[in-house]
Amino acid sequence: MKPYKAIIFDMDGTVLDTLDELTHSLAHIFRQHGLPEKTSQEVRACLGYGYIGLIQRAVPDLPVAEQEQLAREFKDWYGAHCAGHTCLYAGIHELLQALKDAGRQTAIVSNKGQAAVTTLHEEFFSGLVTFSLGESPLYQKKPAPDMVWEALKRLGCAQEDAVYIGDSEVDKRTADNAGLDSILVTWGFRDPAFLEALQPDYLVQTPQELQTLLLSGD
């Protein structure tokens, strides 16, 4: 592997285990509207497409206007309650510290709303990752390349010197659209066989394996 100068991560399912909190928050909103709650495995399959994408996949038969209202309510509730059941995946802190010590530039790009992304960055990534970029009106969501390109601009890094790391088909498409190499991880929100079929440049099983891979040229 070439020594990438910039390493850009997805957030949910890649560096943070947010599934319990997302499931709890969605259940809260659904209860307010008399909708049946979703299991964590059902929620897991809906993740990766931002708040409106989550709602559209969780309740596809609702009218668009109702989906949009649920997405707004979810954004507000989750933005204020995003950290309670969230944690770093085991080995991620050590990975990010090793990348920092090796002089690599890092950023996080997520389809999660910026309010929640900022809260989680301050809770888990301050001093480890340069910045975390979330959904805003300024950029198209992933898999559009806009947020990744903005991250590269802020990091002062060319596409050919960067890699994008995620855990879903959205992340693979994002890397492709942005012109970056891709690494997919198997501990997140998609099954390994599904990820392998996407043909990423690299597929890794553990944060320790990812650390070895990223620093192999040092």
Side-chain angles (χ1 to χ4, degrees), residues 1 8 25 34 36 44 61 67 71 95 100 104 124 165 197 215:
M1 171 178 277
I8 303 176
S25 292
R44 179 177 181 257
D61 296 330
Q67 291 177 338
L95 164 66
K100 180 181 179 181
R104 302 294 200 273
F124 295 103
I165 302 173
L215 298 178

Side-chain angles (χ1 to χ4, degrees), residues 136-154:
S136 83
L138 299 175
Y139 317 106
Q140 291 188 70
K141 297 196 303 288
K142 301 184 298 180
D146 302 43
M147 290 198 293
V148 171
W149 286 344
E150 174 62 21
L152 291 177
K153 180 181 177 181
R154 295 187 190 185

Side-chain angles (χ1 to χ4, degrees), residues 41-96:
Q41 286 306 300
E42 288 172 328
V43 173
R44 179 177 181 257
C46 298
L47 297 173
Y49 295 86
Y51 297 146
I52 187 62
L54 167 60
I55 298 299
Q56 288 171 340
R57 286 162 177 77
V59 281
D61 296 330
L62 282 186
V64 171
E66 292 184 36
Q67 291 177 338
E68 291 173 347
Q69 178 62 31
L70 288 173
R72 288 191 293 269
E73 293 180 21
F74 180 84
K75 180 178 182 179
D76 291 342
W77 175 265
Y78 180 72
H81 302 83
C82 59
H85 297 86
T86 292
C87 62
L88 290 166
Y89 287 105
I92 291 296
H93 185 278
E94 293 80 1
L95 164 66
L96 295 175

Side-chain angles (χ1 to χ4, degrees), residues 19 23 39-47 186 188-192:
L19 183 56
T23 301
T39 67
S40 61
Q41 286 306 300
E42 288 172 328
V43 173
R44 179 177 181 257
C46 298
L47 297 173
T186 63
F189 298 158
R190 300 292 189 268
D191 296 327

Side-chain angles (χ1 to χ4, degrees), residues 84-174:
H85 297 86
T86 292
C87 62
L88 290 166
Y89 287 105
I92 291 296
H93 185 278
E94 293 80 1
L95 164 66
L96 295 175
Q97 186 65 59
L99 293 175
K100 180 181 179 181
D101 293 344
R104 302 294 200 273
Q105 298 191 79
T106 56
I108 293 171
V109 169
S110 173
N111 274 344
K112 190 192 299 291
Q114 185 63 60
V117 166
T118 297
T119 296
L120 294 170
H121 179 91
E122 293 173 354
E123 176 78 16
F124 295 103
F125 304 112
S126 181
L128 283 175
V129 176
T130 305
F131 60 87
S132 294
L133 187 62
E135 180 188 15
S136 83
L138 299 175
Y139 317 106
Q140 291 188 70
K141 297 196 303 288
K142 301 184 298 180
D146 302 43
M147 290 198 293
V148 171
W149 286 344
E150 174 62 21
L152 291 177
K153 180 181 177 181
R154 295 187 190 185
L155 294 173
C157 185
Q159 293 161 260
E160 59 268 23
D161 294 322
V163 63
Y164 189 77
I165 302 173
D167 70 304
S168 74
E169 70 282 3
V170 179
D171 298 312
K172 175 60 165 62
R173 289 169 58 199
T174 300

Side-chain angles (χ1 to χ4, degrees), residues 29-46:
I29 298 303
F30 278 17
R31 283 195 297 269
Q32 306 307 303
H33 292 265
L35 295 169
E37 297 178 24
K38 299 292 182 180
T39 67
S40 61
Q41 286 306 300
E42 288 172 328
V43 173
R44 179 177 181 257
C46 298

Side-chain angles (χ1 to χ4, degrees), residues 165 183-187 195 202-207 209-210 213:
I165 302 173
I183 299 175
L184 295 181
V185 304
T186 63
W187 57 79
L195 296 174
Y202 303 92
L203 183 67
V204 298
Q205 313 295 322
T206 67
E209 180 185 349
L210 181 57
L213 184 67

